[in-house]
Amino acid sequence: MWKDTMLIINTDHGYLLGEHGYFGKNYMPNYDQIVHTPFFLWNPKTGGAGKRCDALSQAIDIAPTLLDYFGVQKPVDMLGQSLTPVLQENSKIHEYILFGYFGKHVNITDGRYVYMRAGRSTADSLLNNYTLLPLHMFYPFTITELRKIDRKMSNEFSFTKGAPVMKIPTSGETAPDNSCYQFEDHMKYGDLLFDLKSDPNQDRPIQNSEVENRLLKAMKDLLDKNEAPKELYTRIGL
């Protein structure tokens, strides 16, 4: 079966079990234990059993890898890259990658350094849901939230292929399950920069303006490429 079967094993996210003094995965900074997830890939065309690779990759690379394997052209708005060159030649397919949660730190890494950019403002107007289905994970948007819908449907993203979407500002109100949207919570941590080479456990944030400025430039380039909402740049002071 290994001669004609591709196998991909990946996870959604990690989970802190006391590391950094936290339990869980979504209210603390995006440490590697959460975001650097296990990933195993067997491609019968390239082989490589038991080998490790340190090239940057993301979950969005899985679909292009499958399409490439079957000789199917990937859509123009699919930003992931096929991992086949990585398996064949250990090629670099990403110089930088973005990651994070909605409304919290915007993060970037080049594989050695990890930079976490905190928000600068909690203004509702700087954090919006763009959707045609106004649902949170477990319940619908509240009436208060729906009353804030921008009456002019947003049509600024090419990946919606011309379909306008609702633009709904976030709020700090209590949700039906008695939780509260605390998008500003991450701001208490401020910006964080880690050197994974000297500090793989991310215990000691560093100060290095040269590295920070380089990663900020790369962050803006990737946000542009991903068609980030204009207000996001203001929210994180970029």
Side-chain angles (χ1 to χ4, degrees):
M1 288 180 65
W2 292 117
K3 294 180 180 180
D4 64 358
T5 302
M6 177 182 282
L7 176 67
I8 298 175
I9 300 174
N10 187 217
T11 69
D12 181 3
H13 56 76
Y15 207 79
L16 292 176
L17 299 172
E19 299 91 342
H20 305 284
Y22 295 107
F23 188 90
K25 57 130 180 136
N26 58 5
Y27 60 94
M28 68 292 289
N30 301 139
Y31 294 111
D32 257 24
Q33 289 93 341
I34 301 173
V35 300
H36 193 177
T37 58
F39 188 85
F40 303 88
L41 171 59
W42 168 257
N43 184 331
K45 292 182 179 179
T46 58
K51 293 184 179 180
R52 293 179 62 93
C53 178
D54 59 4
L56 289 175
S57 62
Q58 296 177 278
I60 61 172
D61 297 325
I62 295 176
T65 301
L66 291 170
L67 293 176
D68 183 30
Y69 183 82
F70 290 105
V72 179
Q73 185 74 28
K74 74 172 186 176
V76 294
D77 51 3
M78 184 177 283
L79 298 181
Q81 301 292 327
S82 170
L83 290 163
T84 302
V86 179
L87 299 173
Q88 290 175 329
E89 307 161 1
N90 199 21
S91 299
K92 182 183 289 187
I93 58 173
H94 298 291
E95 293 289 337
Y96 304 91
I97 55 175
L98 287 174
F99 58 96
Y101 296 126
F102 177 70
K104 296 185 182 292
H105 280 96
V106 176
N107 312 281
I108 189 169
T109 185
D110 62 0
R112 172 174 176 176
Y113 295 99
V114 173
Y115 180 58
M116 306 178 182
R117 182 77 171 180
R120 269 54 181 170
S121 171
T122 60
D124 286 355
S125 61
L126 298 181
L127 186 62
N128 298 285
N129 296 279
Y130 291 88
T131 182
L132 282 175
L133 186 65
L135 294 172
H136 294 290
M137 186 176 294
F138 300 115
Y139 45 81
F141 276 45
T142 64
I143 292 298
T144 302
E145 289 176 304
L146 294 176
R147 286 173 179 159
K148 296 180 179 179
I149 293 176
D150 191 327
R151 294 186 179 182
K152 182 180 179 181
M153 298 279 277
S154 176
N155 194 17
E156 59 185 280
F157 308 114
S158 67
F159 55 80
T160 67
K161 297 177 173 58
V165 293
M166 292 182 286
K167 179 179 178 180
I168 308 174
T170 59
S171 68
E173 69 177 60
T174 300
D177 62 357
N178 292 320
S179 65
C180 188
Y181 318 122
Q182 295 293 342
F183 296 113
E184 71 276 10
D185 274 3
H186 78 286
M187 293 172 62
K188 65 186 177 187
Y189 304 110
D191 300 336
L192 296 169
L193 177 65
F194 295 98
D195 182 348
L196 298 181
K197 183 177 181 179
S198 61
D199 180 27
N201 291 326
Q202 297 173 297
D203 293 323
R204 303 181 301 276
I206 64 171
Q207 300 291 326
N208 187 319
S209 58
E210 181 180 348
V211 172
E212 182 175 340
N213 289 333
R214 173 172 62 83
L215 293 176
L216 272 175
K217 181 181 183 304
M219 180 180 289
K220 183 180 184 305
D221 291 343
L222 281 177
L223 288 174
D224 291 345
K225 189 175 182 179
N226 281 272
E227 298 184 68
K230 297 179 179 64
E231 64 271 16
L232 174 64
Y233 298 86
T234 302
R235 187 176 74 83
I236 63 174
L238 189 60

